Amino acid sequence: MTPLARLIILLALCLWPAQAWAQATGPQRTERIEAELVAMSAWAAPGSTAVVAVRQRIQPGWHTYWRNPGDSGGATTLRWTTPPGVTPGGIVWPLPERQRLSGLMNYGYSGEVYLPVPVEIPAAARAGTALPLTVRALFLVCSAEMCVPDELTLRLDLPVREGAAPPDPRHGAAIAAVLETAPRRAGIEARIVWENGALTLSAAGGPLAGRDPGPSYFFPFEGGVIDHPAAQTGAWGPQGLQLRLPPGGETRANGLSGPVAGVLATAHGAFEIAAAPGPVLEGTAGSGDLAAAPDAGAAPATADPTGPAAFAEAVLFAILGGLILNLMPCVFPILAMKAASLAASAHDPRVARRDGLAFLAGVLTTFLLLAGGLLALRAAGEAVGWGFQLQSPPVTAGLALLMLAVALNLSSVFHVGAGLQGAGSGPLARLPGGLGAFFTGALAVVVAAPCTAPFMAFALGAALVMPWPLALVVFLGLGLGLALPFTAVSLSPGLLAKLPRPGPWMERLKGLLAFPMYATALWLAWVFSRQTGAGALGLLFVAGVLLALGAWLVGGGQAERIAGRRGVLHLTAGAVAVLLAAATGWLAAVMPAEIPVTAPNGPPGGPASAPWSTAAVEAARAEGRPVLVNFTADWCVTCKINERTSLGSAGVKAAMERANAVYLVGDWTRRDDAIAAELQRHGRSGVPLYLLYAPGEAEPRVLPQLLTEGVVVEALKDVR
């Protein structure tokens, strides 16, 4: 060894304690999980194998994953930093729970769980010292509606002493129990054969010979081998047992290319087996049928989606999702209108209460109409989802013209209820009285519909598999959450008293509020252009000009009436212009699309993309490459913000290149039955949805709906 090498090693040994102490010891926490690095024994002897464990305490309603997560999710990963000569081994995985959610089956853990790891202690370790062990643990922590990758840095100072060590008083017994019950090899011979579209697993010898194994279940180490949610049935004989396993997608596509390894769980314990392709073992069937293993220890997310508990949970999440919807960018223009109209009526509590309840009625009625249409189309076999109305060019064109009319009204080009528009004396930017508040509520739902807020994904996904009366109650919960802040303020005299008094400032605010509505009209026109083409967009612009002309003529007629004249010519000409605008807008909407809608290339500097298809996903996965899928739509404002701030960043592009990942975009701007079916397969009814396929895993990881660059980069690091 050269003098330079000796110097480097000496510096590393000297600086190691300082580096290790920079990490905090003891439990580390996020909102979802608490984790700690703990030891099974009070100390470690030089030249021995110590056992440490990552203890997880998972919050109720959340879970982490086994080495094979099943149909979704991702396994816990550990990255160790240890002193020279200290060698950590692999995780000794406890037997997982089966966590069923709708049509999916995941394998994981809830509550408190220990993941033991053997650690080789060098013989040169000096007694009386402590070895600083540091591990970066990445947990994918999931609930019914979202998954969050939580990374925690854990540290343990493991004492080194001579002689046999007693168990650690706090965690030693629990870790020892995990090691005793963890799946282990037990001299079992296993075979697997694929014939007639089904897999038959036979296992004989060892603890299986001569006794009924009881309810049994096979957990494969790799995804795609079996259909995880399907029932496993079989029979047992004098030498062992047979299990009939429905094949997974990988097996159906490529057959059995080699041994299938996994864990066979029986009433007498869990055993690791490696089943080689070959004939069924003799003496493994004929004496009796096996009962199916129950889904023991399932996480809360596995409840029956049509049961009372799931219904109550869906309603609660719907209300929370509706509340959060008030903060989504797509609702900002209407929020300003609501606030201004509330300030206008604050001087009279009775008027404020009336407007608040009318606004609530408008929200709930419109939610019921949209939900009824969605459920009716679903019942008729149509592949539609939340926001389906904006996939229709006529609806998009009509909404663009409606937003333009609202903006012109706010700009005082014309008035709705002309005599009531004086500053501080009447409604602002709405029809008079309760009808105007009802209309504002309906408009809020129409504009908010393209958004999917956190908690909404689970609520909408659950609603679509419930009986229609229960589903409508869930949708009413969404409406209640959306309307709750405005209605609560309108019914509270104390809060109303704190609002500014009406006055001339409201006319200036009224003009200012027109500009978000102009922007909304332009956004809808852009969405319309993506759905149809340049020719139809040109016609829509003509319709917009005609509408503006009609509004100006109507406003002139209203001014003449205020001056004492009849204003018939202006009003008649204005009505004709508005009718021509409606007809032109309809012609624009029904024009055949000039260009197909393709996946966008994304913002400059971001990763290059290709259109999503199941074939594109399978082709990339066949090459062993990770796949990031972005299901988006041009009318989904949340999607566009995520793409600009997170998916389209240079940091994500670099992470994609390092991982050799493929970026696919599923554009749902126009109706696409394949995308709708894929959304439904993952328990979603709308966009955004982000999937990350890791090599060797059958099902993708679902990323959060509100992305950050860090979340995407860390997820890509995990699949490299």
Side-chain angles (χ1 to χ4, degrees), residues 17 77 96 105 152 197 200 202 228 253 258 281 298 326 334 403 437 459 475 516 526 544 558 568 590 598 640 712 714:
T77 59
M105 174 71 80
L152 296 174
T200 300
S202 57
H228 299 112
L281 294 170
N326 284 279
I334 307 301
M403 295 300 167
F475 280 100
W526 173 73
Q558 291 174 332
V568 175
V590 298
T598 57
K640 298 293 116 181
V712 181
E714 287 299 320

PDB file of all heavy atoms in Angstrom, residues 17 77 96 105 152 197 200 202 228 253 258 281 298 326 334 403 437 459 475 516 526 544 558 568 590 598 640 712 714:
ATOM      1  N   PRO A  17     -16.081   9.746  12.606  1.00  0.00           N
ATOM      2  CA  PRO A  17     -16.986  10.081  13.715  1.00  0.00           C
ATOM      3  C   PRO A  17     -17.621  11.451  13.558  1.00  0.00           C
ATOM      4  O   PRO A  17     -18.792  11.633  13.860  1.00  0.00           O
ATOM      5  CB  PRO A  17     -16.079  10.007  14.943  1.00  0.00           C
ATOM      6  CG  PRO A  17     -14.969   9.075  14.534  1.00  0.00           C
ATOM      7  CD  PRO A  17     -14.734   9.362  13.088  1.00  0.00           C
ATOM      8  N   THR A  77     -36.116   0.944   0.285  1.00  0.00           N
ATOM      9  CA  THR A  77     -34.710   0.763  -0.084  1.00  0.00           C
ATOM     10  C   THR A  77     -33.827   1.403   0.987  1.00  0.00           C
ATOM     11  O   THR A  77     -34.186   2.431   1.575  1.00  0.00           O
ATOM     12  CB  THR A  77     -34.401   1.390  -1.448  1.00  0.00           C
ATOM     13  OG1 THR A  77     -34.697   2.793  -1.422  1.00  0.00           O
ATOM     14  CG2 THR A  77     -35.232   0.723  -2.542  1.00  0.00           C
ATOM     15  N   PRO A  96     -45.430 -10.253   4.371  1.00  0.00           N
ATOM     16  CA  PRO A  96     -46.235  -9.033   4.210  1.00  0.00           C
ATOM     17  C   PRO A  96     -47.719  -9.283   4.404  1.00  0.00           C
ATOM     18  O   PRO A  96     -48.195 -10.425   4.428  1.00  0.00           O
ATOM     19  CB  PRO A  96     -45.942  -8.636   2.755  1.00  0.00           C
ATOM     20  CG  PRO A  96     -45.728  -9.946   2.063  1.00  0.00           C
ATOM     21  CD  PRO A  96     -45.028 -10.828   3.072  1.00  0.00           C
ATOM     22  N   MET A 105     -54.130  -5.669  -5.862  1.00  0.00           N
ATOM     23  CA  MET A 105     -53.617  -6.337  -4.666  1.00  0.00           C
ATOM     24  C   MET A 105     -52.174  -5.902  -4.464  1.00  0.00           C
ATOM     25  O   MET A 105     -51.332  -6.087  -5.349  1.00  0.00           O
ATOM     26  CB  MET A 105     -53.683  -7.858  -4.812  1.00  0.00           C
ATOM     27  CG  MET A 105     -53.037  -8.610  -3.665  1.00  0.00           C
ATOM     28  SD  MET A 105     -53.966  -8.502  -2.126  1.00  0.00           S
ATOM     29  CE  MET A 105     -55.220  -9.759  -2.454  1.00  0.00           C
ATOM     30  N   LEU A 152     -35.648   9.277   4.895  1.00  0.00           N
ATOM     31  CA  LEU A 152     -35.166   9.639   6.220  1.00  0.00           C
ATOM     32  C   LEU A 152     -33.750   9.105   6.397  1.00  0.00           C
ATOM     33  O   LEU A 152     -33.450   7.980   5.990  1.00  0.00           O
ATOM     34  CB  LEU A 152     -36.075   9.057   7.303  1.00  0.00           C
ATOM     35  CG  LEU A 152     -37.522   9.577   7.334  1.00  0.00           C
ATOM     36  CD1 LEU A 152     -38.340   8.807   8.359  1.00  0.00           C
ATOM     37  CD2 LEU A 152     -37.552  11.063   7.640  1.00  0.00           C
ATOM     38  N   GLY A 197     -53.396 -22.154 -20.004  1.00  0.00           N
ATOM     39  CA  GLY A 197     -53.660 -20.798 -19.533  1.00  0.00           C
ATOM     40  C   GLY A 197     -53.576 -20.607 -18.040  1.00  0.00           C
ATOM     41  O   GLY A 197     -54.013 -19.564 -17.536  1.00  0.00           O
ATOM     42  N   THR A 200     -49.561 -23.983 -12.345  1.00  0.00           N
ATOM     43  CA  THR A 200     -49.720 -24.930 -11.235  1.00  0.00           C
ATOM     44  C   THR A 200     -48.400 -25.015 -10.493  1.00  0.00           C
ATOM     45  O   THR A 200     -47.372 -25.385 -11.065  1.00  0.00           O
ATOM     46  CB  THR A 200     -50.128 -26.319 -11.735  1.00  0.00           C
ATOM     47  OG1 THR A 200     -51.377 -26.223 -12.424  1.00  0.00           O
ATOM     48  CG2 THR A 200     -50.286 -27.280 -10.561  1.00  0.00           C
ATOM     49  N   SER A 202     -46.399 -26.763  -7.448  1.00  0.00           N
ATOM     50  CA  SER A 202     -46.406 -27.913  -6.539  1.00  0.00           C
ATOM     51  C   SER A 202     -45.181 -27.824  -5.636  1.00  0.00           C
ATOM     52  O   SER A 202     -44.086 -27.459  -6.081  1.00  0.00           O
ATOM     53  CB  SER A 202     -46.399 -29.227  -7.320  1.00  0.00           C
ATOM     54  OG  SER A 202     -45.282 -29.302  -8.192  1.00  0.00           O
ATOM     55  N   HIS A 228     -51.914 -10.907  -9.162  1.00  0.00           N
ATOM     56  CA  HIS A 228     -51.928 -10.761  -7.710  1.00  0.00           C
ATOM     57  C   HIS A 228     -53.327 -10.761  -7.096  1.00  0.00           C
ATOM     58  O   HIS A 228     -53.537 -11.394  -6.053  1.00  0.00           O
ATOM     59  CB  HIS A 228     -51.180  -9.490  -7.302  1.00  0.00           C
ATOM     60  CG  HIS A 228     -49.738  -9.480  -7.697  1.00  0.00           C
ATOM     61  ND1 HIS A 228     -49.234  -8.625  -8.650  1.00  0.00           N
ATOM     62  CD2 HIS A 228     -48.687 -10.233  -7.289  1.00  0.00           C
ATOM     63  CE1 HIS A 228     -47.940  -8.842  -8.799  1.00  0.00           C
ATOM     64  NE2 HIS A 228     -47.582  -9.808  -7.989  1.00  0.00           N
ATOM     65  N   ALA A 253     -47.240 -12.976 -21.578  1.00  0.00           N
ATOM     66  CA  ALA A 253     -46.540 -12.448 -22.748  1.00  0.00           C
ATOM     67  C   ALA A 253     -45.328 -13.287 -23.126  1.00  0.00           C
ATOM     68  O   ALA A 253     -45.065 -13.515 -24.317  1.00  0.00           O
ATOM     69  CB  ALA A 253     -46.113 -11.002 -22.478  1.00  0.00           C
ATOM     70  N   GLY A 258     -37.648 -19.220 -16.522  1.00  0.00           N
ATOM     71  CA  GLY A 258     -36.734 -19.784 -15.540  1.00  0.00           C
ATOM     72  C   GLY A 258     -37.468 -20.064 -14.250  1.00  0.00           C
ATOM     73  O   GLY A 258     -38.702 -20.015 -14.181  1.00  0.00           O
ATOM     74  N   LEU A 281     -45.046 -32.304  -9.092  1.00  0.00           N
ATOM     75  CA  LEU A 281     -44.491 -33.318  -8.208  1.00  0.00           C
ATOM     76  C   LEU A 281     -45.575 -34.308  -7.780  1.00  0.00           C
ATOM     77  O   LEU A 281     -46.712 -33.920  -7.480  1.00  0.00           O
ATOM     78  CB  LEU A 281     -43.878 -32.653  -6.974  1.00  0.00           C
ATOM     79  CG  LEU A 281     -42.648 -31.768  -7.227  1.00  0.00           C
ATOM     80  CD1 LEU A 281     -42.302 -30.982  -5.971  1.00  0.00           C
ATOM     81  CD2 LEU A 281     -41.465 -32.609  -7.679  1.00  0.00           C
ATOM     82  N   ALA A 298     -55.088  -6.655   6.555  1.00  0.00           N
ATOM     83  CA  ALA A 298     -55.170  -5.714   5.448  1.00  0.00           C
ATOM     84  C   ALA A 298     -55.206  -4.287   5.965  1.00  0.00           C
ATOM     85  O   ALA A 298     -55.740  -3.996   7.020  1.00  0.00           O
ATOM     86  CB  ALA A 298     -56.414  -5.996   4.616  1.00  0.00           C
ATOM     87  N   ASN A 326     -61.075  25.109  -3.855  1.00  0.00           N
ATOM     88  CA  ASN A 326     -61.104  26.572  -3.824  1.00  0.00           C
ATOM     89  C   ASN A 326     -59.727  27.190  -4.017  1.00  0.00           C
ATOM     90  O   ASN A 326     -59.626  28.370  -4.371  1.00  0.00           O
ATOM     91  CB  ASN A 326     -61.695  27.050  -2.492  1.00  0.00           C
ATOM     92  CG  ASN A 326     -63.190  26.907  -2.423  1.00  0.00           C
ATOM     93  OD1 ASN A 326     -63.930  27.740  -2.928  1.00  0.00           O
ATOM     94  ND2 ASN A 326     -63.658  25.833  -1.805  1.00  0.00           N
ATOM     95  N   ILE A 334     -63.200  32.876 -10.517  1.00  0.00           N
ATOM     96  CA  ILE A 334     -64.512  32.886  -9.881  1.00  0.00           C
ATOM     97  C   ILE A 334     -64.400  33.264  -8.403  1.00  0.00           C
ATOM     98  O   ILE A 334     -65.312  33.872  -7.840  1.00  0.00           O
ATOM     99  CB  ILE A 334     -65.193  31.514 -10.044  1.00  0.00           C
ATOM    100  CG1 ILE A 334     -65.205  31.119 -11.514  1.00  0.00           C
ATOM    101  CG2 ILE A 334     -66.614  31.543  -9.510  1.00  0.00           C
ATOM    102  CD1 ILE A 334     -65.924  32.092 -12.407  1.00  0.00           C
ATOM    103  N   MET A 403     -67.548  33.157 -20.960  1.00  0.00           N
ATOM    104  CA  MET A 403     -66.567  33.897 -20.166  1.00  0.00           C
ATOM    105  C   MET A 403     -66.304  35.279 -20.768  1.00  0.00           C
ATOM    106  O   MET A 403     -66.106  36.258 -20.043  1.00  0.00           O
ATOM    107  CB  MET A 403     -65.259  33.108 -20.069  1.00  0.00           C
ATOM    108  CG  MET A 403     -65.384  31.798 -19.313  1.00  0.00           C
ATOM    109  SD  MET A 403     -65.940  32.042 -17.615  1.00  0.00           S
ATOM    110  CE  MET A 403     -66.347  30.364 -17.162  1.00  0.00           C
ATOM    111  N   ALA A 437     -76.723  34.829  -7.662  1.00  0.00           N
ATOM    112  CA  ALA A 437     -75.865  34.001  -6.810  1.00  0.00           C
ATOM    113  C   ALA A 437     -75.901  32.545  -7.263  1.00  0.00           C
ATOM    114  O   ALA A 437     -74.869  31.857  -7.268  1.00  0.00           O
ATOM    115  CB  ALA A 437     -76.307  34.113  -5.357  1.00  0.00           C
ATOM    116  N   ALA A 459     -62.078   9.909  -3.864  1.00  0.00           N
ATOM    117  CA  ALA A 459     -63.526  10.080  -3.773  1.00  0.00           C
ATOM    118  C   ALA A 459     -64.200   9.804  -5.109  1.00  0.00           C
ATOM    119  O   ALA A 459     -65.201   9.085  -5.183  1.00  0.00           O
ATOM    120  CB  ALA A 459     -63.842  11.497  -3.291  1.00  0.00           C
ATOM    121  N   PHE A 475     -70.675  13.042  -4.845  1.00  0.00           N
ATOM    122  CA  PHE A 475     -70.533  14.246  -5.658  1.00  0.00           C
ATOM    123  C   PHE A 475     -71.128  15.464  -4.940  1.00  0.00           C
ATOM    124  O   PHE A 475     -70.587  16.579  -5.052  1.00  0.00           O
ATOM    125  CB  PHE A 475     -71.205  14.049  -7.017  1.00  0.00           C
ATOM    126  CG  PHE A 475     -70.374  13.263  -7.989  1.00  0.00           C
ATOM    127  CD1 PHE A 475     -70.614  11.917  -8.205  1.00  0.00           C
ATOM    128  CD2 PHE A 475     -69.340  13.859  -8.683  1.00  0.00           C
ATOM    129  CE1 PHE A 475     -69.849  11.184  -9.090  1.00  0.00           C
ATOM    130  CE2 PHE A 475     -68.567  13.140  -9.570  1.00  0.00           C
ATOM    131  CZ  PHE A 475     -68.816  11.798  -9.779  1.00  0.00           C
ATOM    132  N   PRO A 516     -59.217  38.716 -15.349  1.00  0.00           N
ATOM    133  CA  PRO A 516     -59.121  37.252 -15.217  1.00  0.00           C
ATOM    134  C   PRO A 516     -60.134  36.507 -16.076  1.00  0.00           C
ATOM    135  O   PRO A 516     -59.850  35.413 -16.578  1.00  0.00           O
ATOM    136  CB  PRO A 516     -59.380  37.021 -13.712  1.00  0.00           C
ATOM    137  CG  PRO A 516     -59.022  38.301 -13.056  1.00  0.00           C
ATOM    138  CD  PRO A 516     -59.373  39.367 -14.035  1.00  0.00           C
ATOM    139  N   TRP A 526     -57.786  28.643 -26.546  1.00  0.00           N
ATOM    140  CA  TRP A 526     -56.585  27.855 -26.859  1.00  0.00           C
ATOM    141  C   TRP A 526     -56.879  26.362 -26.759  1.00  0.00           C
ATOM    142  O   TRP A 526     -56.458  25.577 -27.603  1.00  0.00           O
ATOM    143  CB  TRP A 526     -55.466  28.249 -25.898  1.00  0.00           C
ATOM    144  CG  TRP A 526     -54.249  27.390 -26.022  1.00  0.00           C
ATOM    145  CD1 TRP A 526     -53.334  27.392 -27.037  1.00  0.00           C
ATOM    146  CD2 TRP A 526     -53.825  26.381 -25.096  1.00  0.00           C
ATOM    147  NE1 TRP A 526     -52.361  26.446 -26.801  1.00  0.00           N
ATOM    148  CE2 TRP A 526     -52.627  25.812 -25.618  1.00  0.00           C
ATOM    149  CE3 TRP A 526     -54.323  25.914 -23.881  1.00  0.00           C
ATOM    150  CZ2 TRP A 526     -51.950  24.799 -24.957  1.00  0.00           C
ATOM    151  CZ3 TRP A 526     -53.638  24.914 -23.232  1.00  0.00           C
ATOM    152  CH2 TRP A 526     -52.471  24.368 -23.769  1.00  0.00           C
ATOM    153  N   GLY A 544     -66.547  35.577 -31.331  1.00  0.00           N
ATOM    154  CA  GLY A 544     -66.225  36.458 -30.221  1.00  0.00           C
ATOM    155  C   GLY A 544     -66.392  37.919 -30.573  1.00  0.00           C
ATOM    156  O   GLY A 544     -66.905  38.715 -29.773  1.00  0.00           O
ATOM    157  N   GLN A 558     -79.295  50.090 -23.514  1.00  0.00           N
ATOM    158  CA  GLN A 558     -79.579  50.316 -22.099  1.00  0.00           C
ATOM    159  C   GLN A 558     -79.319  51.772 -21.715  1.00  0.00           C
ATOM    160  O   GLN A 558     -80.081  52.367 -20.932  1.00  0.00           O
ATOM    161  CB  GLN A 558     -78.733  49.373 -21.248  1.00  0.00           C
ATOM    162  CG  GLN A 558     -79.127  47.910 -21.370  1.00  0.00           C
ATOM    163  CD  GLN A 558     -78.181  46.980 -20.637  1.00  0.00           C
ATOM    164  OE1 GLN A 558     -77.004  47.298 -20.470  1.00  0.00           O
ATOM    165  NE2 GLN A 558     -78.697  45.832 -20.211  1.00  0.00           N
ATOM    166  N   VAL A 568     -84.806  50.870 -29.112  1.00  0.00           N
ATOM    167  CA  VAL A 568     -85.205  49.618 -29.748  1.00  0.00           C
ATOM    168  C   VAL A 568     -84.196  49.194 -30.802  1.00  0.00           C
ATOM    169  O   VAL A 568     -83.848  48.009 -30.933  1.00  0.00           O
ATOM    170  CB  VAL A 568     -86.616  49.764 -30.366  1.00  0.00           C
ATOM    171  CG1 VAL A 568     -86.997  48.506 -31.153  1.00  0.00           C
ATOM    172  CG2 VAL A 568     -87.631  50.055 -29.281  1.00  0.00           C
ATOM    173  N   VAL A 590     -68.514  22.403 -34.628  1.00  0.00           N
ATOM    174  CA  VAL A 590     -68.834  21.153 -35.326  1.00  0.00           C
ATOM    175  C   VAL A 590     -67.943  20.916 -36.538  1.00  0.00           C
ATOM    176  O   VAL A 590     -68.101  19.906 -37.224  1.00  0.00           O
ATOM    177  CB  VAL A 590     -70.313  21.138 -35.751  1.00  0.00           C
ATOM    178  CG1 VAL A 590     -71.223  21.203 -34.544  1.00  0.00           C
ATOM    179  CG2 VAL A 590     -70.622  22.262 -36.741  1.00  0.00           C
ATOM    180  N   THR A 598     -51.704  15.536 -30.607  1.00  0.00           N
ATOM    181  CA  THR A 598     -50.548  14.716 -30.256  1.00  0.00           C
ATOM    182  C   THR A 598     -49.957  15.211 -28.958  1.00  0.00           C
ATOM    183  O   THR A 598     -50.242  16.315 -28.493  1.00  0.00           O
ATOM    184  CB  THR A 598     -49.476  14.774 -31.358  1.00  0.00           C
ATOM    185  OG1 THR A 598     -49.114  16.143 -31.569  1.00  0.00           O
ATOM    186  CG2 THR A 598     -50.022  14.207 -32.664  1.00  0.00           C
ATOM    187  N   LYS A 640     -50.961  21.662 -16.371  1.00  0.00           N
ATOM    188  CA  LYS A 640     -50.067  22.591 -17.053  1.00  0.00           C
ATOM    189  C   LYS A 640     -49.053  23.193 -16.079  1.00  0.00           C
ATOM    190  O   LYS A 640     -47.876  23.380 -16.421  1.00  0.00           O
ATOM    191  CB  LYS A 640     -50.878  23.708 -17.718  1.00  0.00           C
ATOM    192  CG  LYS A 640     -51.844  23.220 -18.799  1.00  0.00           C
ATOM    193  CD  LYS A 640     -51.107  22.658 -19.988  1.00  0.00           C
ATOM    194  CE  LYS A 640     -51.369  21.198 -20.200  1.00  0.00           C
ATOM    195  NZ  LYS A 640     -50.650  20.598 -21.333  1.00  0.00           N
ATOM    196  N   VAL A 712     -40.063  14.285  -8.385  1.00  0.00           N
ATOM    197  CA  VAL A 712     -39.820  13.548  -9.623  1.00  0.00           C
ATOM    198  C   VAL A 712     -38.380  13.048  -9.678  1.00  0.00           C
ATOM    199  O   VAL A 712     -38.112  11.894 -10.036  1.00  0.00           O
ATOM    200  CB  VAL A 712     -40.143  14.428 -10.845  1.00  0.00           C
ATOM    201  CG1 VAL A 712     -39.915  13.651 -12.138  1.00  0.00           C
ATOM    202  CG2 VAL A 712     -41.577  14.920 -10.788  1.00  0.00           C
ATOM    203  N   GLU A 714     -36.259  12.431  -7.189  1.00  0.00           N
ATOM    204  CA  GLU A 714     -36.024  11.354  -6.231  1.00  0.00           C
ATOM    205  C   GLU A 714     -36.658  10.049  -6.696  1.00  0.00           C
ATOM    206  O   GLU A 714     -36.083   8.966  -6.515  1.00  0.00           O
ATOM    207  CB  GLU A 714     -36.575  11.751  -4.860  1.00  0.00           C
ATOM    208  CG  GLU A 714     -35.754  12.812  -4.143  1.00  0.00           C
ATOM    209  CD  GLU A 714     -34.336  12.345  -3.871  1.00  0.00           C
ATOM    210  OE1 GLU A 714     -34.146  11.166  -3.518  1.00  0.00           O
ATOM    211  OE2 GLU A 714     -33.408  13.165  -4.035  1.00  0.00           O
TER     212      GLU A 714
END
